[in-house]
Structures are given as structure tokens and as C-alpha cells.
């Protein structure tokens, strides 16, 4: 957790820098988003700003989230405890502790600023592939962690784990409350057009 705190300090600095770059952006860079008060048009953000008006006020005062994304909870637990979380209540609690730490840190950042920091369960298809290369070079091939070409998205169940849709959703539901900025979820299944009750059960 002390190492995680150090990394989160860097993430906070980077996210703040990115968010603050919006403060001086003028509405005319994207009329579709910010509208145009000179013709009474509203943009997708619900505002009608003058073309030369700065857009910062739309995003400050906690109006829009600044996302702290992450990948690799599965690999983190595997690296720390040499086992997977699935069907392991003790390790699920370890995973929840990490996620809770991320969430409480983002909430602290939010309370200390005008930006609405929030944890986002990232669908980072490019990022998870980009990270694995440098880690392979640095740490070598570690079974289940760097011996493949990806890290697991967000809090997802490992794609190599055998589980049906309900089991996958039940597992991932352990972590949803720690990602208030959003979360991705997916399952693979056969056509459910002839079984709408199964579709409804999965949705619920």
C-alpha cells in the first residue's frame, strides 16, 4: 500500500495537469459540445457558451469526473498471493481492500479540489497491451502475469478462468461499488433470443 500510495501521487499529479488544461480552452474548439450562444444553440454538454468563452466552468465544482483508471487487479493478487481470487473469499477480500484504497484516495482528492476524481474500471484494450511489453523486459516472464500479451481489464475475471455468465457477474459484483466513475462488464453467451428470461436474469 505504501508503494501504491506513491504511484497514486504521480497519477494525481498527471490527472490534475490534464484536467487543468481544460480551464482556458475556448468553446469554439467544439461547438457540438459547448454550443453557441450567438445563435442560441445548445451543445451536448447542455450549455450554450459564447465561442470565445472558456469552458472550464462546465467541468469544475465537481460537475464532471476525472477518471482514475486501472487494469490488472487479477494479476496483482496473483503476484502477491500466488493464487487467483475466483472462489477464494479470502483473496476477494484482499482485492476489495486494494479497490477500497483506490476509491477512498479518489474521494480524498475530490474533497480537496474542484475536480470530481473517481475510480473507473477501465476498458483499456490498448493500455493493457502496452504495459505488458515493458514489464516483460523488466521482470521477465512470470507465470500467469507477464507470460501472456495482456493484463486483465479492470476488476474482470481472468479470461482463462472457466466460469459461466452468472458466476462471472457474481464475482465481478464484489468490486462494483469501488468504481463509481464507471465499470465495464461483459459475458460471452449463445443467442438468447429464444430465452428472454435468461437475458433478463443476466441483466438483473
Amino acid at each position: 500500500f505504501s508503494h501504491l500510495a506513491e504511484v497514486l501521487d504521480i497519477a494525481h499529479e498527471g490527472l490534475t495537469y490534464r484536467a487543468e488544461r481544460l480551464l482556458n480552452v475556448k468553446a469554439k474548439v467544439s461547438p457540438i459540445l459547448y454550443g453557441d450562444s450567438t445563435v442560441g444553440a445548445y451543445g451536448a454538454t447542455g450549455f450554450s457558451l459564447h465561442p470565445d468563452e472558456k469552458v472550464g466552468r462546465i467541468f469544475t465544482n465537481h460537475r464532471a469526473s476525472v477518471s482514475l483508471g486501472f487494469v490488472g487487479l487479477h494479476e496483482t493478487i496473483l503476484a502477491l498471493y500466488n493464487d487467483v481470487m475466483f472462489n477464494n473469499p479470502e483473496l476477494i477480500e484482499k482485492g476489495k481492500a486494494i479497490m477500497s484504497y483506490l476509491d477512498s484516495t479518489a474521494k480524498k482528492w475530490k474533497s480537496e479540489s474542484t475536480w470530481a476524481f473517481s475510480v473507473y474500471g477501465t476498458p483499456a484494450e490498448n493500455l493493457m497491451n502496452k504495459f505488458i511489453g515493458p514489464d516483460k523486459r523488466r521482470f521477465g516472464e512470470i507465470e500467469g502475469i507477464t507470460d501472456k500479451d495482456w493484463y486483465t481489464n479492470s476488476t474482470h475475471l481472468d479470461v482463462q478462468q472457466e466460469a459461466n455468465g452468472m458466476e462471472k457477474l457474481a464475482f465481478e459484483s464484489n468490486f462494483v461499488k469501488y468504481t463509481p466513475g464507471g465499470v465495464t462488464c461483459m459475458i460471452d453467451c449463445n443467442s438468447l433470443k429464444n430465452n428472454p428470461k435468461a437475458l433478463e436474469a443476466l441483466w438483473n
Side-chain angles (χ1 to χ4, degrees), residues 7-19:
V7 173
L8 286 172
D9 283 343
I10 297 169
H12 181 233
E13 183 179 351
L15 290 171
T16 301
Y17 173 78
R18 290 188 67 185

Side-chain angles (χ1 to χ4, degrees), residues 52-77:
D52 287 322
E53 188 175 353
K54 295 176 181 179
V55 303
R57 69 181 177 89
I58 293 177
F59 302 104
T60 55
N61 300 315
H62 301 152
R63 284 197 183 105
S65 64
V66 178
S67 298
L68 173 66
F70 68 97
V71 297
L73 183 66
H74 162 73
E75 287 82 7
T76 300
I77 294 298

